[in-house]
């Protein structure tokens, strides 16, 4: 079940694309990789595990959360690789150091494949220089699967030949050229899940300049934003109307604003509200609002 009321199919074709991506990132037979993507009603956990197993990799099916336990397991089994969001990798490193470990010396983690969140250059530099972790990232959606990936040059994400990818003007649908920012639109002729001109809602731009790795495909340089109001927070999409529906159940609230920030490279949401009457139990209201929005 993708983020939203959509049931997505995936099969061996998707697994091969994942395996291709992970091979380009440097994972090989003999690696022990912690997969921290969710296995619960989301495609990423099982989909990525199957791709790793195609390469002969041993997978730790960690899923999301439980940072202290994940640190313990990665240390005890000598995990050499990591799959997850950039912010969760940072959380695990911080948690390990809080427990007294020297992460670079005490852990065997040498490679991380990161997905689902913005990956700023400053955080990449920290992972690679401070902790000796070679990083790679990719791009895809729950509906399409993985459709572009970084090579060892890290100069954009190569578009896989299995897809037709356009960058278009969101207002007109007109195709745009290299360097022009527009919506990523994907056509997949997969027998498993065919999609024609699927609008991802993501804004990006491409280059067709030759890559030093020798691959000849176009490359998405980076994802620069979203079309419309939908925002991605900790790898999940949030639509303002969903928040509005939840808040509208509380007559005490006259107005609200959701603010998304990234302190210390981790997404955070703050809900600011205005009240019709200040004489309310703020603690009780805050608790009820949180339950309505997250539940």
């Amino acid at each position: 079940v993708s983020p939203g009321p959509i049931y997505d199919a995936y099969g061996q074709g998707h697994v091969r694309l994942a395996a291709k991506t992970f091979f380009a990132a440097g994972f090989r037979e003999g690696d022990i990789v912690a997969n921290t993507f969710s296995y619960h009603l989301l495609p990423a956990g099982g989909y990525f595990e199957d791709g790793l197993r195609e390469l002969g990799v041993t997978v730790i099916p960690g899923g999301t959360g439980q940072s202290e336990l994940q640190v313990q397991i990665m240390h005890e089994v000598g995990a050499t690789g990591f799959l997850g969001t950039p912010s969760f990798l940072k959380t695990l490193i911080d948690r390990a150091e809080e427990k007294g470990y020297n992460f670079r010396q005490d852990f065997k983690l040498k490679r991380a494949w990161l997905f689902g969140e913005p990956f700023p250059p400053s955080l990449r530099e920290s992972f690679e220089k401070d902790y000796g972790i070679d990083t790679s990232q990719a791009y895809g959606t729950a509906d399409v699967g993985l459709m572009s990936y970084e090579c060892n040059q890290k100069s954009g994400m190569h578009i896989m030949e299995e897809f037709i990818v356009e960058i278009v003007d969101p207002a007109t649908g007109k195709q745009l050229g290299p360097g022009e920012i527009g919506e990523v639109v994907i056509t997949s002729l997969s027998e498993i899940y065919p999609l024609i001109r699927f609008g991802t809602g993501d804004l990006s731009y491409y280059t067709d300049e030759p890559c030093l790795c020798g691959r000849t495909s176009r490359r998405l340089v980076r994802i620069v934003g979203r079309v419309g109001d939908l925002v991605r927070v900790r790898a999940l999409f949030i639509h303002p109307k969903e928040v509005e529906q939840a808040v509208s159940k509380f007559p005490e609230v006259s107005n609200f604003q959701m603010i998304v920030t990234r302190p210390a490279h981790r997404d955070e949401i703050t809900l600011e509200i205005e009240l019709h009457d200040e004489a309310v139990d703020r603690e009780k209201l805050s608790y009820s609002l949180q339950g309505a929005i997250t539940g």
Side-chain angles (χ1 to χ4, degrees):
V1 182
S2 78
I6 301 172
Y7 296 97
D8 287 321
Y10 89 93
Q12 195 59 32
H14 291 88
V15 173
R16 286 194 296 270
L17 297 180
K20 181 192 297 188
T21 304
F22 299 145
F23 187 87
F27 293 112
R28 298 292 185 271
E29 184 175 355
D31 276 324
I32 302 172
V33 177
N35 179 14
T36 67
F37 286 102
S38 177
Y39 284 76
H40 181 65
L41 293 179
L42 294 173
Y47 169 26
F48 293 159
E49 175 169 331
D50 290 346
L52 287 169
R53 291 189 183 281
E54 284 285 303
L55 302 179
V57 170
T58 298
V59 180
I60 304 168
T64 56
Q66 296 185 294
S67 57
E68 287 200 15
L69 179 59
Q70 300 231 33
V71 166
Q72 175 187 335
I73 294 170
M74 289 170 64
H75 180 256
E76 292 181 352
V77 306
T80 59
F82 171 90
L83 262 64
T85 62
S87 62
F88 193 57
L89 177 57
K90 181 68 165 57
T91 294
L92 295 182
I93 292 172
D94 291 346
R95 188 76 72 240
E97 294 188 333
E98 289 168 5
K99 294 173 71 67
Y101 290 112
N102 180 313
F103 194 88
R104 185 161 189 156
Q105 295 179 6
D106 297 333
F107 285 73
K108 296 182 179 180
L109 192 68
K110 298 301 179 186
R111 186 165 287 107
W113 185 89
L114 304 167
F115 183 80
E117 285 180 352
F119 186 29
S122 60
L123 188 55
R124 166 170 268 173
E125 182 178 13
S126 175
F127 287 154
E128 299 195 348
K129 290 188 176 181
D130 298 340
Y131 302 104
I133 303 170
D134 185 37
T135 62
S136 181
Q137 60 181 328
Y139 171 70
T141 75
D143 313 88
V144 175
L146 296 172
M147 49 73 61
S148 65
Y149 60 92
E150 280 188 328
C151 65
N152 57 14
Q153 297 299 310
K154 303 177 185 180
S155 59
M157 295 174 285
H158 290 274
I159 297 171
M160 296 189 192
E161 60 270 20
E162 289 84 356
F163 299 95
I164 300 168
V165 176
E166 306 166 72
I167 301 296
V168 307
D169 183 324
T172 66
K174 177 185 176 183
Q175 289 187 12
L176 302 176
E180 296 183 283
I181 293 176
E183 183 178 5
V184 181
V185 174
I186 303 173
T187 294
S188 169
L189 302 182
S190 162
E191 294 180 355
I192 302 164
Y193 195 173
L195 292 166
I196 307 298
R197 300 202 80 214
F198 173 76
T200 65
D202 291 318
L203 294 171
S204 184
Y205 59 100
Y206 74 89
T207 178
D208 51 12
E209 294 179 0
C211 183
L212 293 176
C213 76
R215 293 177 175 87
T216 58
S217 58
R218 290 176 173 177
R219 304 189 306 282
L220 293 179
V221 179
R222 62 190 179 95
I223 305 300
V224 299
R226 291 283 303 173
V227 177
D229 296 330
L230 200 67
V231 294
R232 185 192 290 264
V233 181
R234 297 190 189 179
L236 293 176
F237 288 112
I238 296 177
H239 199 290
K241 286 191 177 298
E242 295 175 320
V243 180
E244 184 177 0
Q245 288 173 358
V247 174
S248 67
K249 299 175 183 178
F250 297 86
E252 305 97 319
V253 177
S254 63
N255 205 353
F256 77 95
Q257 182 180 30
M258 294 285 290
I259 301 173
V260 181
T261 56
R262 286 186 58 79
H265 303 297
R266 182 176 175 82
D267 291 344
E268 288 189 359
I269 297 179
T270 301
L271 174 64
E272 294 188 351
I273 64 172
E274 294 180 3
L275 300 174
H276 286 293
D277 184 352
E278 295 294 326
V280 299
D281 186 333
R282 290 170 175 253
E283 185 175 346
K284 181 179 179 181
L285 177 60
S286 177
Y287 180 82
S288 299
L289 277 167
Q290 183 174 332
I293 291 172
T294 60

